[in-house]
Amino acid sequence: MARAASSDRMAAAPPPPEGTPEPPVGRKSSRSATPRTPRRARQVEAKRTAILDAALGLFSRLGLHGTTVEQIAEQAAVSKTNLFYYFASKEEVYVAVLRRLLDEWLAPLRALERDSDPARAIGEYIRRKIMFSRAHPEASRLFCLEIVRGAPLLRRELETSLKQLVDAKAEVIRAWSESGRLAPVDPRHLIFAIWATTQHYADFAAQIDALLETGLDDEAFAEEAVCNIQRIILDGLRVRSPD
Amino acid sequence: MARAASSDRMAAAPPPPEGTPEPPVGRKSSRSATPRTPRRARQVEAKRTAILDAALGLFSRLGLHGTTVEQIAEQAAVSKTNLFYYFASKEEVYVAVLRRLLDEWLAPLRALERDSDPARAIGEYIRRKIMFSRAHPEASRLFCLEIVRGAPLLRRELETSLKQLVDAKAEVIRAWSESGRLAPVDPRHLIFAIWATTQHYADFAAQIDALLETGLDDEAFAEEAVCNIQRIILDGLRVRSPD
DNA sequence: GTCTATAGGCCGATAGAC
DNA sequence: GTCTATCGGCCTATAGAC
């Protein structure tokens, strides 16, 4: 029933021109005896997922315009015609990929809680973000591409759900600063700094690889990145004068 | 053919076949009496520059594949045919744009000198980087796009001249840390952190605008960004225990 | 040098058989 | 649902007049 799920999400956030045109799922109740999740529906979902997975990899490297439908189809092991049976257009695939990732992308920020110890919570946030970049570098790059383009397809989500989340968490951080449990910073710039430093390891992986011949793939390097970013952001660089 | 050929080039080699193919300047020494910079050559240069300026704006928003030659020509106020008189292909324009920007992009890092006061030098570096992002957001975004794509056209430069520069400056930073004038950090991660935080304001401008309805265009916001990033990186967030 | 006209390829999307 | 075949449009790049 992924269909329904995605439709609901669409409703929550007005996407491209029109909503998701209902896919050609055979009327599901024609045979009254079939179970809730008919084999058919599951197969459909599996195929859609394969297509989205393939598309993510390609879009994240080549962009929307640099990727051809044929490449996606080949990567997903379906025919081009068949792909158009599941998705009405290339843009629809693109939007579906973005949507599928958005929640997961924001999960680490949601976890920032007022009651935690500030330094601990921020350190943990940094770790989670880097680990997400490590686990899903393609997702990070795809968002990067979309935003550099001016976020034509994501703008509304940014302005609504993301803004809401950021405002709430900025409030948490501001409270920490005001109660003296955290040094005074503008929470918004802090959030940007954390996003930037952590996502950098995925988005600029090619640069890091060219310079250091390593990257987040290497677990030791990832750990190094976490520690250094935590230290930089939490402790800073300035040497504390001995009293 | 155009597409296929371009794909081959892209995949095959970092810089295109030859360096900057000499523009169709009439042989400049044919008339021995003409000055060093003949009017012709200057006009040619002016037109090439107009094309590159237009291309930068478009490539940085739409990417190589999302931009059409006709858009570039229109923006530069030349005909499409005429553009092809000055540049052999769209890729050639793209590479020329990147090349033209590279030096300028790296200038702030070159300015990091061993003899400076570490905290001051780093603070100044942060300021310069943000001010560059402010003055040339399109350049920043174009580099971002190119690197996200895996830097097919810039890789060689990254591996040679950039690596050399980074190695040298990392050494400067390491010396600062070792002499106790700077807190201990891995210089490479520090450089990445500074790049990431500062370029973020240009590359993710659409996101910042969606969240805050402002951006580096606003001078006050730019100043705010500089101060906050300086504070975060130099002083950190952790509250210093009162002895 | 600059134009008009057009070649020629790639690609997104559809028709229609099975 | 999946295939083969193909259309029509867009886009890069060139030919050839002036």
Side-chain angles (χ1 to χ4, degrees), chain A residues 126-127 130-131 221-231:
Chain A
I126 290 168
R127 169 175 298 278
I130 289 186
M131 287 312 168
F221 181 78
E223 197 55 45
E224 214 180 285
V226 170
C227 291
N228 276 278
I229 299 302
Q230 285 178 340
R231 201 177 323 153

Side-chain angles (χ1 to χ4, degrees), chain A residues 45-120:
Chain A
E45 208 43 40
K47 213 150 192 178
R48 284 179 59 91
T49 299
I51 291 168
L52 294 180
D53 289 344
L56 169 59
L58 289 159
F59 285 144
S60 71
R61 283 183 295 118
L62 309 172
L64 173 58
H65 298 288
T67 302
T68 72
V69 173
E70 202 153 25
Q71 286 174 304
I72 301 172
E74 186 183 347
Q75 186 77 18
V78 303
S79 70
K80 186 170 66 158
T81 322
N82 198 223
L83 184 151
F84 279 113
Y85 176 77
Y86 289 97
F87 294 91
S89 69
K90 184 165 80 163
E91 274 74 18
E92 195 180 298
V93 176
Y94 185 81
V95 176
V97 172
L98 278 176
R99 261 181 214 304
R100 194 174 58 146
L101 292 172
L102 197 54
D103 266 9
E104 208 178 344
W105 193 46
L106 293 176
L109 182 54
R110 288 193 212 282
L112 262 202
E113 293 291 353
R114 173 177 248 116
D115 303 325
S116 324
D117 171 64
R120 241 187 115 72

Side-chain angles (χ1 to χ4, degrees), chain B residues 67-137:
Chain B
T67 302
T68 72
V69 173
E70 201 152 27
Q71 286 175 304
I72 301 172
E74 186 184 347
Q75 185 77 20
V78 302
S79 71
K80 186 171 64 162
T81 321
N82 199 222
L83 186 152
F84 278 115
Y85 176 76
Y86 290 95
F87 293 91
S89 70
K90 184 165 81 162
E91 275 75 17
E92 195 180 298
V93 177
Y94 184 82
V95 177
V97 172
L98 278 177
R99 268 186 206 304
R100 194 174 59 146
L101 292 172
L102 196 55
D103 265 10
E104 208 178 344
W105 192 49
L106 293 177
L109 183 55
R110 289 191 211 282
L112 261 204
E113 294 291 353
R114 172 176 250 116
D115 303 326
S116 323
D117 171 64
R120 238 186 118 71
I122 289 170
E124 192 52 34
Y125 179 42
I126 290 168
R127 170 176 296 278
R128 282 189 200 205
K129 283 292 282 180
I130 289 186
M131 288 311 168
F132 182 86
S133 285
R134 176 170 149 81
H136 307 284

Side-chain angles (χ1 to χ4, degrees), chain A residues 55 158 222:
Chain A
L158 299 184

Side-chain angles (χ1 to χ4, degrees), chain B:
Chain B
M1 145 94 192
R3 293 262 168 160
S6 72
S7 296
D8 288 343
R9 246 197 236 166
M10 305 287 285
E18 64 278 350
T20 307
E22 214 52 27
V25 173
R27 60 253 95 152
K28 45 182 175 181
S29 51
S30 62
R31 295 168 196 192
S32 48
T34 46
R36 304 262 181 69
T37 320
R39 186 172 307 149
R40 273 287 169 77
R42 259 179 296 138
Q43 283 174 346
V44 165
E45 209 42 43
K47 213 152 192 178
R48 283 178 60 92
T49 300
I51 291 168
L52 294 181
D53 289 344
L56 169 59
L58 289 160
F59 284 145
S60 72
R61 282 183 295 118
L62 309 172
L64 172 59
H65 298 287
T67 302
T68 72
V69 173
E70 201 152 27
Q71 286 175 304
I72 301 172
E74 186 184 347
Q75 185 77 20
V78 302
S79 71
K80 186 171 64 162
T81 321
N82 199 222
L83 186 152
F84 278 115
Y85 176 76
Y86 290 95
F87 293 91
S89 70
K90 184 165 81 162
E91 275 75 17
E92 195 180 298
V93 177
Y94 184 82
V95 177
V97 172
L98 278 177
R99 268 186 206 304
R100 194 174 59 146
L101 292 172
L102 196 55
D103 265 10
E104 208 178 344
W105 192 49
L106 293 177
L109 183 55
R110 289 191 211 282
L112 261 204
E113 294 291 353
R114 172 176 250 116
D115 303 326
S116 323
D117 171 64
R120 238 186 118 71
I122 289 170
E124 192 52 34
Y125 179 42
I126 290 168
R127 170 176 296 278
R128 282 189 200 205
K129 283 292 282 180
I130 289 186
M131 288 311 168
F132 182 86
S133 285
R134 176 170 149 81
H136 307 284
E138 295 171 331
S140 187
R141 282 194 284 268
L142 182 59
F143 279 115
C144 181
L145 285 180
E146 177 62 14
I147 291 169
V148 168
R149 294 190 344 141
L153 298 170
L154 226 51
R155 183 146 215 126
R156 190 155 286 163
E157 257 101 355
L158 300 184
E159 285 169 346
T160 57
S161 44
L162 179 62
K163 181 166 170 37
Q164 212 169 0
L165 178 61
V166 167
D167 284 348
K169 298 308 180 181
E171 191 46 42
V172 170
I173 295 169
R174 203 187 50 74
W176 284 341
S177 287
E178 285 197 350
S179 66
R181 300 162 68 202
L182 196 74
V185 234
D186 185 318
R188 306 162 309 161
H189 290 283
L190 171 60
I191 291 173
F192 294 155
I194 295 175
W195 285 349
T197 49
T198 57
Q199 292 173 202
H200 183 86
Y201 287 92
D203 302 344
F204 286 72
Q207 188 178 61
I208 291 171
D209 185 65
L211 290 174
L212 308 183
E213 286 166 25
T214 185
L216 289 185
D217 292 341
D218 177 358
E219 195 177 336
F221 181 78
E223 199 54 43
E224 216 180 283
V226 170
C227 292
N228 276 278
I229 298 302
Q230 286 177 340
R231 202 178 322 153
I232 290 168
I233 290 185
L234 291 176
D235 299 315
L237 296 174
R238 206 190 300 271
V239 173
R240 307 175 184 195
S241 62
D243 296 340

